[in-house]
Amino acid sequence: MRLLYSGKTKDVYEDGPYLIFHFKDTVLGRKGKEDSGGNEVVGEKTGKGSVVLKQTEFFFKLLEENGIKTHFVERIDERKARFLKAERIPLEVIYRELAYGSFLRRYRGWVRQFHPLGIVEFTLKDDFLDDPLIAEDAVVALGIASGEDIEKMKETTRKVAKILREFFSLKGLQLVDFKLEFGRLDGELLIIDELSGDTMRVAKDERFLTREELLEVIG
């Protein structure tokens, strides 16, 4: 295996037609505090990488069972998993069921916490620029993705939202928001990277579930 990338939360290795992700115990946040929407490493939690991988395996399999294609192949051990090698699109696609986090900071005074939204946003995946919000027309103009790609990503993201909303609703929980990444494989778009407590917020009575509590929910 050849190390392709050592990131803040995972190391990525090339293994023939596959990628091997090694999930780290690092925790992200902003201004020294843990925040799933943050881009800086603020500490470590023993076992966190294993928790995130178990959640990613569960949610990617849930999506596959409902007709949403992902690049997940199999879990290798507690910290490593095999994925199909896809061409990453440098965007984060954010679904906001309710207003929270950066949306509140961006539009403070215009929206209250947990206001219903049901919207899809795009940010440019660039840590140096702190993942800025990007207009759909700019995505096309910069050659990042086509207009057709954008519509497909939005459509798929809304399908994922419906799947997650129904799953959590049956357990008395409220989906707040989540983010996805997409890649291309053989000309087809599919969901890549991860889907876990690091990339979604779920609440009960307006209190967010911890990663560990989310793990208990999925069994």
Side-chain angles (χ1 to χ4, degrees), residues 95 118-120 153-163:
Y95 180 82
I119 63 173
V120 178
M153 285 187 281
K154 288 169 66 176
E155 177 187 2
T156 301
T157 300
R158 292 189 180 280
K159 288 180 179 178
V160 172
K162 182 175 184 295
I163 293 165

Side-chain angles (χ1 to χ4, degrees), residues 8-71:
K8 293 186 290 291
T9 60
K10 63 178 73 73
D11 290 331
V12 180
Y13 297 85
E14 184 178 44
D15 185 23
Y18 302 106
L19 297 176
I20 305 298
F21 286 6
H22 177 264
F23 289 79
K24 300 180 180 181
D25 286 344
T26 47
V27 174
L28 298 185
R30 61 180 72 245
K31 297 181 179 179
K33 294 183 178 181
E34 183 175 349
D35 181 347
S36 60
N39 274 328
E40 62 179 280
V41 176
V42 297
E44 288 192 5
K45 284 187 177 179
T46 301
K48 181 257 185 180
S50 175
V51 169
V52 168
L53 174 51
K54 288 176 183 176
Q55 292 170 353
T56 294
E57 178 184 27
F58 176 87
F59 287 114
F60 274 6
K61 285 183 175 179
L62 178 65
L63 298 188
E64 293 275 2
E65 289 167 3
N66 285 274
I68 305 293
K69 292 189 176 181
T70 78
H71 76 152

Side-chain angles (χ1 to χ4, degrees), residues 5 9 17 21 48 59 74 81 110 132 135 171-172 192 194 208:
Y5 173 72
T9 60
F21 286 6
K48 181 257 185 180
F59 287 114
E74 61 183 350
W110 288 88
K171 297 179 180 297
I192 65 170
E194 67 177 79
F208 293 114

Side-chain angles (χ1 to χ4, degrees), residues 19-219:
L19 297 176
I20 305 298
F21 286 6
H22 177 264
F23 289 79
K24 300 180 180 181
D25 286 344
T26 47
V27 174
L28 298 185
R30 61 180 72 245
K31 297 181 179 179
K33 294 183 178 181
E34 183 175 349
D35 181 347
S36 60
N39 274 328
E40 62 179 280
V41 176
V42 297
E44 288 192 5
K45 284 187 177 179
T46 301
K48 181 257 185 180
S50 175
V51 169
V52 168
L53 174 51
K54 288 176 183 176
Q55 292 170 353
T56 294
E57 178 184 27
F58 176 87
F59 287 114
F60 274 6
K61 285 183 175 179
L62 178 65
L63 298 188
E64 293 275 2
E65 289 167 3
N66 285 274
I68 305 293
K69 292 189 176 181
T70 78
H71 76 152
F72 181 82
V73 177
E74 61 183 350
R75 180 149 58 102
I76 298 171
D77 59 29
E78 287 298 302
R79 300 276 290 277
K80 295 187 185 73
R82 181 173 286 108
F83 297 84
L84 296 172
K85 189 190 301 181
E87 176 193 359
R88 182 185 296 270
I89 299 172
L91 296 170
E92 289 186 344
V93 186
I94 302 170
Y95 180 82
R96 299 188 183 278
E97 182 86 343
L98 306 176
Y100 196 77
S102 60
F103 193 89
L104 290 180
R105 292 191 293 271
R106 194 186 316 141
Y107 302 116
R108 58 184 180 274
W110 288 88
V111 62
R112 70 182 186 279
Q113 183 170 297
F114 294 122
H115 178 78
L117 295 173
I119 63 173
V120 178
E121 295 182 323
F122 291 86
T123 63
L124 181 63
K125 192 167 175 61
D126 187 321
D127 286 347
F128 181 75
L129 298 176
D130 197 24
D131 298 342
L133 197 68
I134 186 169
E136 294 176 20
D137 284 350
V139 171
V140 176
L142 295 177
I144 296 170
S146 67
E148 183 179 352
D149 287 339
I150 289 172
E151 291 307 312
K152 179 63 175 177
M153 285 187 281
K154 288 169 66 176
E155 177 187 2
T156 301
T157 300
R158 292 189 180 280
K159 288 180 179 178
V160 172
K162 182 175 184 295
I163 293 165
L164 295 179
R165 183 189 304 120
E166 292 177 352
F167 173 80
F168 288 122
S169 179
L170 289 173
K171 297 179 180 297
L173 301 172
Q174 171 68 60
L175 176 67
V176 177
D177 55 28
F178 64 86
K179 59 185 176 184
L180 300 174
E181 292 187 36
F182 286 81
R184 299 184 184 91
L185 183 62
D186 298 328
E188 186 176 24
L189 288 178
L190 71 169
I191 294 174
I192 65 170
D193 198 54
E194 67 177 79
L195 184 55
S196 70
D198 268 10
T199 61
M200 72 170 76
R201 292 186 181 101
V202 179
K204 183 175 180 62
D205 301 326
E206 299 191 356
R207 183 189 69 82
F208 293 114
L209 271 64
T210 65
R211 287 186 208 87
E212 293 71 23
E213 288 172 332
L214 183 58
L215 187 60
E216 291 180 8
V217 168
I218 66 176

